[in-house]
């Protein structure tokens, strides 16, 4: 069985699971259909996807959905991490040039790669630089939470040693980085205008992001962006990264439950955001800010642009005639 066949099956199963469940329960007594046969498995899978949708805040009603990435699309991620490291080093009276910053981040990656729970559950989707400022209360299992205690100080101790600085400054460096990095949380230029224009056009916006749920929610709130989104999907809650077909299947189930469809996926990652769009069969806008854009007028379902305002030119969502969501502002052509 080819990968494409498997992918199509996963997508079809996510979209059709509710109908299989209802059809089987029409024939079999509920007490039987809930316990035996394929219906039981389908029902469990569908309910699991619906629970993820409910946790994301999905509401029902007609309309087109724009799925938007968070990190390095709406808020700085990698550039903010580098700046926070540089400012932390400067605050300690140490060289804060690009090479010194890279050394710190390289050691952060090395220490994080060797972490005993790096590939455990929610931490699977956390980057090494994000691990330096995770919230203390993240709802993680006790062994995992305990292993994170002091992780940032260990990274800074190793990095400062590599920089031939005093490793005893690690606690100060760790606290300074957390404070500075949190202070850099703000929407990127043009983000509010972009989201406002989509909202004004009557579109529904869902946010899809990789990471630890409590950490991502904190970033969304600190940047003042939660109010723009009708639903938020985080890889920890979904149980898979955006590049995994499971994530697209979860969105597909939520779309069916909400009676909506995706008309555009917007993000900066060719792996995760374009992967999500490909697995779902949805058009995508690749925000290529870290690397030069390919031909912006590329054929197919993906277009490339360097700024969010240009992404509006490629929105393939027809303006909805009337919103079908109770309490949501309706629009007319």
């Amino acid at each position: 069985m080819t990968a494409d066949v498997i992918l199509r099956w996963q997508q079809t199963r996510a979209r059709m699971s509710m109908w299989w469940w209802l059809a089987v329960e029409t024939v079999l007594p509920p007490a039987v259909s809930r316990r035996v046969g394929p219906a039981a498995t389908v029902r469990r899978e569908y309910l699991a996807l619906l629970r993820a949708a409910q946790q994301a805040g999905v509401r029902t009603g007609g309309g087109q959905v724009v799925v938007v990435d968070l990190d390095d699309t709406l808020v700085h991620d990698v550039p903010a991490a580098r700046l926070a490291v540089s400012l932390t080093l400067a605050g300690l009276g140490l060289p804060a040039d690009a090479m010194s910053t890279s050394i710190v981040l390289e050691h952060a990656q090395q220490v994080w790669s060797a972490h005993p729970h790096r590939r455990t559950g929610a931490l699977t989707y956390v980057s090494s630089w994000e691990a330096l400022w995770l919230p203390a209360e993240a709802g993680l299992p006790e062994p995992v939470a305990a292993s994170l205690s002091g992780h940032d100080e260990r990274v800074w101790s190793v990095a400062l040693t590599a920089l031939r600085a005093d490793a005893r400054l690690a606690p100060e460096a760790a606290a300074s980085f957390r404070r500075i990095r949190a202070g850099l949380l703000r929407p990127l230029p043009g983000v509010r205008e972009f989201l406002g224009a989509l909202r004004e056009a009557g579109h529904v916006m869902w946010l899809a992001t990789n990471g630890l749920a409590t950490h991502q929610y904190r970033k969304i709130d600190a940047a003042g962006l939660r109010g723009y989104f009708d639903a938020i999907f985080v890889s920890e809650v979904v149980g898979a990264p955006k590049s995994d077909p499971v994530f697209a299947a979860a969105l597909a189930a939520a779309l069916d439950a909400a009676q909506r469809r995706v008309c555009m996926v917007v993000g900066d990652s060719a792996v995760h955001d374009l992967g999500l769009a490909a697995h779902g069969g949805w058009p995508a806008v690749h925000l290529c800010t870290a690397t030069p854009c390919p031909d912006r007028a590329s054929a197919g379902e993906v277009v490339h642009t360097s700024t969010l305002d240009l992404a509006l030119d490629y929105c393939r969502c027809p303006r909805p005639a009337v919103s079908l969501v109770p309490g949501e502002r309706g629009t007319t052509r």
Side-chain angles (χ1 to χ4, degrees), residues 107-108 111-112 115-116 132 144-161 167 170-171 174:
H107 283 85
V111 175
W112 187 232
H115 191 277
L132 294 176
V144 179
S147 71
L148 287 175
S149 178
H151 167 76
D152 53 347
E153 293 185 12
R154 288 191 292 273
V155 169
W156 279 103
S157 178
V158 172
L160 289 171
T161 299

Side-chain angles (χ1 to χ4, degrees), residues 28-267:
L28 297 178
V32 177
S33 65
R34 283 181 168 85
R35 292 199 305 268
V36 300
T41 300
V42 168
R43 180 176 184 273
R44 285 194 297 271
E45 291 180 353
Y46 186 72
L47 289 178
L49 292 174
L50 281 188
R51 280 195 293 272
Q54 290 167 353
Q55 291 181 22
V58 170
R59 295 181 296 167
T60 59
Q64 290 78 41
V65 174
V66 178
V67 179
V68 187
D69 170 50
L70 176 64
D71 293 310
D72 282 335
T73 296
L74 303 181
V75 298
H76 269 316
D77 180 26
V78 176
R82 292 191 64 87
L83 178 57
V85 168
S86 178
L87 293 175
T88 298
L89 292 173
L92 296 174
L94 300 173
D97 52 71
M99 180 176 294
S100 299
T101 297
S102 295
I103 289 174
V104 172
L105 291 174
E106 287 169 6
H107 283 85
Q109 184 175 15
Q110 292 173 11
V111 175
W112 187 232
S113 296
H115 191 277
H117 295 288
R118 171 66 181 91
R119 300 298 175 185
T120 300
L123 297 186
T124 303
Y125 320 119
V126 175
S127 62
S128 58
W129 53 90
E130 291 283 85
L132 294 176
W133 65 301
L134 292 178
E137 299 297 328
L140 296 170
E142 180 57 34
V144 179
S147 71
L148 287 175
S149 178
H151 167 76
D152 53 347
E153 293 185 12
R154 288 191 292 273
V155 169
W156 279 103
S157 178
V158 172
L160 289 171
T161 299
L163 292 171
R164 301 184 182 279
D166 189 348
R168 291 174 295 181
L169 294 173
E172 181 182 350
S176 178
F177 176 85
R178 284 179 175 273
R179 182 181 66 256
I180 294 171
R181 182 63 186 86
L184 294 175
L185 273 173
R186 62 180 63 89
L188 286 167
V191 162
R192 293 192 186 278
E193 292 79 4
F194 171 72
L195 297 177
L198 288 174
R199 177 70 76 187
E200 185 64 26
H203 301 311
V204 175
M205 285 177 287
W206 289 3
L207 190 146
T209 179
N210 286 337
L212 193 64
T214 53
H215 188 51
Q216 298 304 90
Y217 293 148
R218 180 178 69 168
K219 289 158 64 176
I220 294 165
D221 289 336
L225 297 176
R226 187 182 288 258
Y228 289 101
F229 294 97
D230 292 78
I232 298 172
F233 293 83
V234 185
S235 58
E236 179 194 359
V237 179
V238 174
K242 289 189 293 183
S243 57
D244 194 302
V246 172
F247 200 107
L251 260 66
L255 289 164
D256 285 345
Q259 303 171 41
R260 300 189 190 279
R261 68 180 181 85
V262 168
C263 60
M264 182 170 69
V265 176
V266 183

